Amino acid sequence: MNSPAHTPEKRKVGRPSDAAKRESIVAAASDRFMNEGFAATSIEQVAADAGVSKVTIYNHFGDKRGLFTAAVERECEKMRGYFTLDHMSNGSIRERLFEIAGAMVAFLSRPEMIQFERRIAAETEHEPAVGEAFLETGPWRMKAAFSAWLAHAVAQGELQIDDPDLAAEQLVSLAKGMGDLERRFGAMPSAGATEARIKGAVSVFLAAYQRP
Protein backbone atom coordinates (compact mmCIF):
# COMPACT_ATOMS: atom_id res chain seq x y z
CA MET A 1 0.00 0.00 0.00
CA ASN A 2 1.47 3.27 -1.10
CA SER A 3 1.82 6.00 1.53
CA PRO A 4 0.01 9.20 0.78
CA ALA A 5 2.06 11.88 -0.92
CA HIS A 6 3.37 14.53 1.45
CA THR A 7 1.88 17.93 0.81
CA PRO A 8 4.18 20.73 1.96
CA GLU A 9 2.58 23.12 4.42
CA LYS A 10 1.75 26.43 2.86
CA ARG A 11 3.43 29.46 4.41
CA LYS A 12 1.31 32.42 5.20
CA VAL A 13 2.72 35.25 3.14
CA GLY A 14 2.32 38.95 3.74
CA ARG A 15 1.33 38.86 7.40
CA PRO A 16 3.31 41.51 9.30
CA SER A 17 5.16 40.48 12.43
CA ASP A 18 3.87 41.61 15.80
CA ALA A 19 6.73 44.10 16.03
CA ALA A 20 5.93 45.60 12.63
CA LYS A 21 2.24 45.70 13.44
CA ARG A 22 2.92 47.41 16.75
CA GLU A 23 5.14 50.01 15.07
CA SER A 24 2.45 50.70 12.49
CA ILE A 25 -0.12 51.25 15.24
CA VAL A 26 2.15 53.55 17.26
CA ALA A 27 3.05 55.58 14.16
CA ALA A 28 -0.62 56.05 13.31
CA ALA A 29 -1.42 56.95 16.92
CA SER A 30 1.41 59.48 17.06
CA ASP A 31 0.11 61.27 13.99
CA ARG A 32 -3.41 61.41 15.39
CA PHE A 33 -2.48 62.40 18.94
CA MET A 34 0.03 65.07 17.95
CA ASN A 35 -2.16 66.61 15.26
CA GLU A 36 -5.61 66.31 16.84
CA GLY A 37 -5.00 65.82 20.54
CA PHE A 38 -5.77 63.08 23.02
CA ALA A 39 -9.48 63.70 23.52
CA ALA A 40 -10.25 64.05 19.80
CA THR A 41 -8.46 60.82 18.85
CA SER A 42 -10.34 57.54 19.01
CA ILE A 43 -9.14 53.95 18.99
CA GLU A 44 -11.35 53.40 15.93
CA GLN A 45 -9.51 56.12 13.99
CA VAL A 46 -6.09 54.76 14.87
CA ALA A 47 -7.17 51.23 13.97
CA ALA A 48 -8.39 52.41 10.58
CA ASP A 49 -5.19 54.38 9.92
CA ALA A 50 -2.99 51.42 10.87
CA GLY A 51 -5.13 48.87 9.03
CA VAL A 52 -5.79 46.74 12.12
CA SER A 53 -8.75 45.94 14.32
CA LYS A 54 -9.63 47.63 17.60
CA VAL A 55 -9.07 44.30 19.32
CA THR A 56 -5.48 44.24 18.07
CA ILE A 57 -4.84 47.66 19.60
CA TYR A 58 -6.36 46.63 22.92
CA ASN A 59 -4.28 43.45 22.90
CA HIS A 60 -1.08 45.41 22.38
CA PHE A 61 -1.69 48.47 24.55
CA GLY A 62 -4.56 47.74 26.92
CA ASP A 63 -6.41 51.01 26.49
CA LYS A 64 -6.19 54.50 25.02
CA ARG A 65 -3.89 55.70 27.78
CA GLY A 66 -1.44 52.87 27.08
CA LEU A 67 -1.54 53.70 23.38
CA PHE A 68 -0.87 57.37 24.07
CA THR A 69 2.06 56.52 26.35
CA ALA A 70 3.58 54.42 23.57
CA ALA A 71 3.07 57.30 21.13
CA VAL A 72 4.78 59.75 23.49
CA GLU A 73 7.68 57.32 23.97
CA ARG A 74 8.06 57.10 20.20
CA GLU A 75 8.12 60.88 19.79
CA CYS A 76 10.57 61.28 22.67
CA GLU A 77 12.83 58.64 21.14
CA LYS A 78 12.81 60.53 17.86
CA MET A 79 13.65 63.74 19.71
CA ARG A 80 16.45 62.07 21.67
CA GLY A 81 18.01 61.11 18.37
CA TYR A 82 19.08 64.75 18.07
CA PHE A 83 20.86 64.73 21.43
CA THR A 84 23.28 62.25 22.91
CA LEU A 85 26.07 62.24 25.48
CA ASP A 86 27.79 59.30 23.79
CA HIS A 87 30.06 61.21 21.42
CA MET A 88 31.24 64.24 23.33
CA SER A 89 34.78 65.58 22.81
CA ASN A 90 37.74 64.86 25.08
CA GLY A 91 38.56 68.49 25.85
CA SER A 92 38.74 70.19 29.23
CA ILE A 93 35.80 69.93 31.62
CA ARG A 94 34.83 73.49 30.63
CA GLU A 95 34.87 72.62 26.94
CA ARG A 96 32.86 69.45 27.46
CA LEU A 97 30.25 71.18 29.63
CA PHE A 98 29.94 73.96 27.04
CA GLU A 99 29.44 71.34 24.33
CA ILE A 100 26.82 69.48 26.37
CA ALA A 101 24.94 72.63 27.38
CA GLY A 102 25.00 73.88 23.80
CA ALA A 103 23.68 70.57 22.48
CA MET A 104 20.89 70.58 25.08
CA VAL A 105 19.81 74.12 24.22
CA ALA A 106 19.90 73.36 20.48
CA PHE A 107 17.85 70.22 21.08
CA LEU A 108 15.23 72.00 23.19
CA SER A 109 15.09 74.88 20.70
CA ARG A 110 14.11 72.76 17.72
CA PRO A 111 10.72 73.89 16.33
CA GLU A 112 9.47 70.29 16.47
CA MET A 113 10.36 70.08 20.15
CA ILE A 114 8.66 73.36 21.00
CA GLN A 115 5.51 72.29 19.14
CA PHE A 116 5.57 68.87 20.78
CA GLU A 117 5.83 70.39 24.26
CA ARG A 118 2.97 72.78 23.50
CA ARG A 119 0.77 69.87 22.47
CA ILE A 120 1.62 67.90 25.60
CA ALA A 121 1.03 70.93 27.82
CA ALA A 122 -2.38 71.53 26.25
CA GLU A 123 -3.38 67.90 26.74
CA THR A 124 -2.14 67.88 30.34
CA GLU A 125 -4.70 70.53 31.28
CA HIS A 126 -7.41 67.93 30.70
CA GLU A 127 -5.46 64.72 31.34
CA PRO A 128 -2.71 65.11 34.00
CA ALA A 129 -1.43 61.60 33.27
CA VAL A 130 -0.43 62.81 29.80
CA GLY A 131 2.12 65.18 31.31
CA GLU A 132 3.49 62.50 33.59
CA ALA A 133 3.92 60.10 30.67
CA PHE A 134 5.87 62.77 28.79
CA LEU A 135 8.09 63.61 31.77
CA GLU A 136 8.91 59.95 32.40
CA THR A 137 9.86 59.17 28.80
CA GLY A 138 11.50 62.49 27.93
CA PRO A 139 12.89 65.10 30.37
CA TRP A 140 13.35 62.81 33.38
CA ARG A 141 15.21 60.25 31.28
CA MET A 142 17.49 62.91 29.82
CA LYS A 143 18.12 64.35 33.27
CA ALA A 144 19.12 60.91 34.56
CA ALA A 145 21.61 60.51 31.70
CA PHE A 146 23.21 63.91 32.36
CA SER A 147 23.26 63.28 36.11
CA ALA A 148 25.13 60.02 35.49
CA TRP A 149 27.61 61.91 33.29
CA LEU A 150 28.24 64.42 36.08
CA ALA A 151 28.64 61.62 38.62
CA HIS A 152 31.31 60.11 36.36
CA ALA A 153 33.10 63.47 36.20
CA VAL A 154 33.03 63.54 40.00
CA ALA A 155 34.53 60.05 40.14
CA GLN A 156 37.27 61.21 37.75
CA GLY A 157 38.15 64.05 40.13
CA GLU A 158 37.05 66.85 37.77
CA LEU A 159 34.02 68.07 39.72
CA GLN A 160 32.95 68.18 43.36
CA ILE A 161 29.17 67.62 43.49
CA ASP A 162 27.11 66.21 46.35
CA ASP A 163 23.84 65.99 44.38
CA PRO A 164 24.34 65.29 40.64
CA ASP A 165 20.57 65.37 40.00
CA LEU A 166 20.31 68.91 41.34
CA ALA A 167 23.46 69.99 39.53
CA ALA A 168 22.09 68.64 36.24
CA GLU A 169 18.96 70.75 36.66
CA GLN A 170 21.00 73.82 37.54
CA LEU A 171 23.19 73.75 34.44
CA VAL A 172 20.28 73.15 32.10
CA SER A 173 18.26 75.95 33.70
CA LEU A 174 21.19 78.36 33.55
CA ALA A 175 21.90 77.51 29.92
CA LYS A 176 18.27 77.93 28.82
CA GLY A 177 17.71 81.14 30.77
CA MET A 178 15.10 83.49 29.37
CA GLY A 179 15.85 82.19 25.88
CA ASP A 180 13.62 79.19 26.48
CA LEU A 181 10.68 81.41 27.43
CA GLU A 182 11.33 83.77 24.54
CA ARG A 183 11.27 80.96 21.99
CA ARG A 184 7.96 79.66 23.34
CA PHE A 185 6.39 83.03 22.68
CA GLY A 186 7.87 83.60 19.24
CA ALA A 187 10.91 85.78 20.04
CA MET A 188 14.00 83.96 18.77
CA PRO A 189 17.21 84.95 20.60
CA SER A 190 20.24 85.57 18.43
CA ALA A 191 23.00 83.00 18.10
CA GLY A 192 25.39 85.40 19.83
CA ALA A 193 23.08 85.88 22.81
CA THR A 194 22.56 82.12 23.11
CA GLU A 195 26.29 81.41 23.04
CA ALA A 196 26.99 84.11 25.64
CA ARG A 197 24.27 82.70 27.90
CA ILE A 198 25.69 79.17 27.67
CA LYS A 199 29.25 80.33 28.34
CA GLY A 200 28.02 82.25 31.37
CA ALA A 201 26.09 79.21 32.58
CA VAL A 202 29.18 77.01 32.40
CA SER A 203 31.29 79.61 34.21
CA VAL A 204 28.78 79.87 37.05
CA PHE A 205 28.47 76.08 37.22
CA LEU A 206 32.24 75.57 37.42
CA ALA A 207 32.59 78.32 40.02
CA ALA A 208 30.28 76.23 42.20
CA TYR A 209 31.40 72.70 41.36
CA GLN A 210 34.89 72.54 39.85
CA ARG A 211 37.32 70.73 42.10
CA PRO A 212 40.07 73.10 43.31
Side-chain angles (χ1 to χ4, degrees):
M1 183 176 178
N2 294 330
S3 60
H6 175 70
T7 302
E9 182 180 349
K10 291 183 179 179
R11 294 178 57 193
K12 294 179 180 178
V13 179
R15 295 186 62 184
S17 68
D18 282 347
K21 187 179 296 183
R22 188 182 192 282
E23 173 57 27
S24 176
I25 294 169
V26 175
S30 294
D31 289 342
R32 284 283 181 177
F33 284 132
M34 298 309 150
N35 292 323
E36 300 177 19
F38 180 83
T41 297
S42 69
I43 293 291
E44 289 83 1
Q45 290 170 326
V46 175
D49 292 345
V52 300
S53 69
K54 290 191 298 180
V55 172
T56 298
I57 292 181
Y58 286 121
N59 286 341
H60 276 275
F61 304 98
D63 56 16
K64 186 177 174 181
R65 173 71 53 224
L67 179 60
F68 181 81
T69 299
V72 171
E73 288 175 350
R74 178 180 186 269
E75 293 302 311
C76 287
E77 192 63 38
K78 285 165 55 180
M79 295 295 179
R80 283 194 297 271
Y82 294 103
F83 174 77
T84 178
L85 293 172
D86 296 337
H87 305 293
M88 293 296 164
S89 67
N90 295 316
S92 68
I93 187 65
R94 180 180 295 273
E95 291 168 338
R96 280 176 284 147
L97 285 171
F98 179 76
E99 184 178 357
I100 290 171
M104 285 182 176
V105 170
F107 167 73
L108 295 171
S109 303
R110 293 178 60 82
E112 307 96 300
M113 188 65 187
I114 294 172
Q115 182 58 39
F116 181 48
E117 289 186 350
R118 284 174 178 163
R119 167 61 72 188
I120 297 296
E123 294 301 326
T124 300
E125 290 186 16
H126 309 288
E127 296 283 347
V130 168
E132 186 173 352
F134 167 66
L135 289 170
E136 287 178 348
T137 56
W140 288 346
R141 192 175 296 180
M142 288 185 62
K143 174 186 169 183
F146 184 37
S147 176
W149 189 93
L150 291 175
H152 178 71
V154 171
Q156 296 295 109
E158 296 179 294
L159 298 173
Q160 188 170 343
I161 299 173
D162 293 328
D163 188 343
D165 284 345
L166 176 60
E169 288 185 20
Q170 289 169 332
L171 182 59
V172 174
S173 297
L174 286 168
K176 291 193 304 181
M178 287 288 291
D180 189 50
L181 184 64
E182 290 166 354
R183 276 184 290 272
R184 291 172 187 277
F185 289 92
M188 298 300 293
S190 68
T194 298
E195 182 177 357
R197 181 180 287 115
I198 295 170
K199 284 183 177 179
V202 172
S203 293
V204 170
F205 187 85
L206 287 175
Y209 293 122
Q210 189 167 21
R211 186 178 290 278

